[in-house]
């Protein structure tokens, strides 16, 4: 298939910035359901900047701890749990591979808010889901954290072109951001994210959620993951910013089997009440 210049450069990239030793070990930890807490805490603690950010989030208002969390081991036990800390740690470590600083208009705080909020909302939706099969909330959290990973890749590799797309979208939001990405880069952040997820051998659910993100007809093994994360992401970016809008009125979320209007209304109220605390947590991740 013919791809114009920038798309060809992207999908022909052979030398991405190398993953850190911590990121590589955390990818192995994500794939290991039997990893011990002490081993995981040890991996994270050997990377002081990563450990500091995780402790910052653990002590943030969003998690509402009554006394300070002083170690990664304590953060796992008291705050996150082993699977959530895996998702947070690997997402932060993978993001550290990229430098989006040259991409004007790219807001790293917004990126992290979208990641944290989509992950949190996806997990809340999973907890209320009553259909069968039940979705895996921990897997959904990881998918939510990484659903926009392709934005970091585009901002890192093609800062000028991605800046142009962002600038045009900022001036006129009647155009979908993906359409503008295709206009300036001949690819978009979902194509880029799926390519990266498969290249880095991230869990198949992550790659499928990104790759089929806007494909409502997808019926593969991770169709429910896709529906939940896609609906959560749209609510975070659009629905939650519309004053007076009830989550139960959102078409994507309302179409999810196993979650009734009352549950959606409750989730929406809970999410809205915590949105500013999530934004504060997201700012902790900006360096």
């Amino acid at each position: 298939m013919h791809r114009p210049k920038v798309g060809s450069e992207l999908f022909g990239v052979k030398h991405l910035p190398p993953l850190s030793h911590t990121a590589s070990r955390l990818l192995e930890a994500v794939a290991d359901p039997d990893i011990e807490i002490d081993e995981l805490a040890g991996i994270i603690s050997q990377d002081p900047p990563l450990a500091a950010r995780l402790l910052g989030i653990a002590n943030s208002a969003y998690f509402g701890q009554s006394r300070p969390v002083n170690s990664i081991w304590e953060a796992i036990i008291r705050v996150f749990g082993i699977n959530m800390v895996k998702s947070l740690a690997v997402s932060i470590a993978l993001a550290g591979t990229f430098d989006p600083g040259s991409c004007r208009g790219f807001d790293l705080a917004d990126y992290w808010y979208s990641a944290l909020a989509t992950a949190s909302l996806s997990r809340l939706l999973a907890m209320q889901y009553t259909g069968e099969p039940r979705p895996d909330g921990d897997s959904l959290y990881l998918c939510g954290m990484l659903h926009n990973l392709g934005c970091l890749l585009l901002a890192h590799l093609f800062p000028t072109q991605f800046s142009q797309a962002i600038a045009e979208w900022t001036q006129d939001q009647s155009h979908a951001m993906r359409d503008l990405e295709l206009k300036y880069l001949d690819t978009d952040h979902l194509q880029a994210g799926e390519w990266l997820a498969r290249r880095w051998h991230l869990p198949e659910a992550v790659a499928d959620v990104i790759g089929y993100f806007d494909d409502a007809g997808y019926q593969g093994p991770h169709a429910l993951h896709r529906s939940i994360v896609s609906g959560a992401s749209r609510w975070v970016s659009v629905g939650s910013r519309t004053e007076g809008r009830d989550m139960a009125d959102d078409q994507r979320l309302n179409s999810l089997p196993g979650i009734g209007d009352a549950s959606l209304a409750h989730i929406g109220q809970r999410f809205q009440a915590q949105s500013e605390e999530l934004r504060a947590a997201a700012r902790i991740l900006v360096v």
Side-chain angles (χ1 to χ4, degrees):
M1 181 176 66
H2 171 70
R3 290 186 185 276
K5 183 178 179 182
V6 175
S8 299
E9 289 177 2
L10 171 62
F11 291 93
V13 166
K14 295 182 180 178
H15 299 291
L16 286 170
L19 286 175
S20 67
H21 179 62
T22 300
S24 297
R25 293 188 68 190
L26 286 169
L27 284 175
E28 295 173 0
V30 166
D32 181 2
D34 299 318
I35 190 169
E36 298 290 339
I37 291 176
D38 287 347
E39 181 181 356
L40 181 59
I43 294 170
I44 296 169
S45 297
Q46 288 174 11
D47 187 326
L50 172 61
R53 287 180 218 170
L54 285 171
L55 287 175
I57 294 174
N59 284 294
S60 68
Y62 178 72
F63 285 102
Q65 294 299 300
S66 59
R67 65 183 192 277
V69 179
N70 297 310
S71 71
I72 293 300
W73 189 90
E74 191 179 359
I76 296 172
I77 296 296
R78 283 178 46 199
V79 185
F80 300 127
I82 196 165
N83 289 319
M84 183 182 286
V85 85
K86 281 183 186 180
S87 297
L88 286 167
V90 79
S91 300
I92 297 167
L94 292 179
T97 304
F98 305 109
D99 179 10
S102 297
C103 184
R104 290 188 302 169
F106 183 76
D107 191 323
L108 197 54
D110 276 353
Y111 170 85
W112 281 119
Y113 173 71
S114 176
L116 287 168
T118 300
S120 299
L121 182 52
S122 296
R123 196 165 183 267
L124 284 173
L125 290 166
M127 291 168 62
Q128 293 292 325
Y129 192 90
T130 59
E132 294 292 341
R134 299 291 298 274
D136 182 341
D138 293 321
S139 178
L140 280 165
Y141 192 88
L142 179 62
C143 291
M145 284 298 302
L146 295 173
H147 79 285
N148 273 346
L149 184 64
C151 293
L152 290 177
L153 178 60
L154 295 182
H156 176 88
L157 288 178
F158 310 114
T160 301
Q161 296 95 326
F162 199 35
S163 291
Q164 291 172 319
I166 292 171
E168 185 167 338
W169 183 82
T170 301
Q171 293 176 357
D172 181 6
Q173 296 185 19
S174 64
H175 298 290
M177 184 61 187
R178 287 186 66 195
D179 291 339
L180 296 175
E181 291 168 357
L182 288 167
K183 173 182 175 180
Y184 288 103
L185 293 105
D186 296 307
T187 190
D188 61 56
H189 69 275
L190 295 178
Q191 292 178 11
E194 181 190 12
W195 176 84
L196 187 61
R198 298 195 189 281
R199 185 180 180 90
W200 277 348
H201 305 291
L202 298 184
E204 194 70 18
V206 173
D208 280 358
V209 164
I210 298 172
Y212 295 99
F213 197 79
D214 281 339
D215 183 358
Y218 169 66
Q219 295 297 318
H222 303 111
L224 183 55
H225 272 55
R226 186 217 68 84
S227 296
I228 290 176
V229 176
S230 177
S233 174
R234 180 172 176 80
W235 177 260
V236 167
S237 63
V238 178
S240 65
R241 299 179 185 180
T242 304
E243 187 175 353
R245 186 176 180 187
D246 192 320
M247 185 178 284
D249 297 329
D250 185 274
Q251 184 176 358
R252 289 195 188 192
L253 296 177
N254 192 262
S255 67
L256 290 172
I259 305 181
D261 287 356
S263 292
L264 284 175
H266 172 72
I267 293 169
Q269 292 167 3
R270 180 174 173 182
F271 178 80
Q272 288 287 76
Q274 297 176 327
S275 62
E276 288 307 311
E277 293 172 351
L278 272 172
R279 286 196 180 277
R283 290 192 287 271
I284 292 170
L285 299 179
V286 178
V287 293

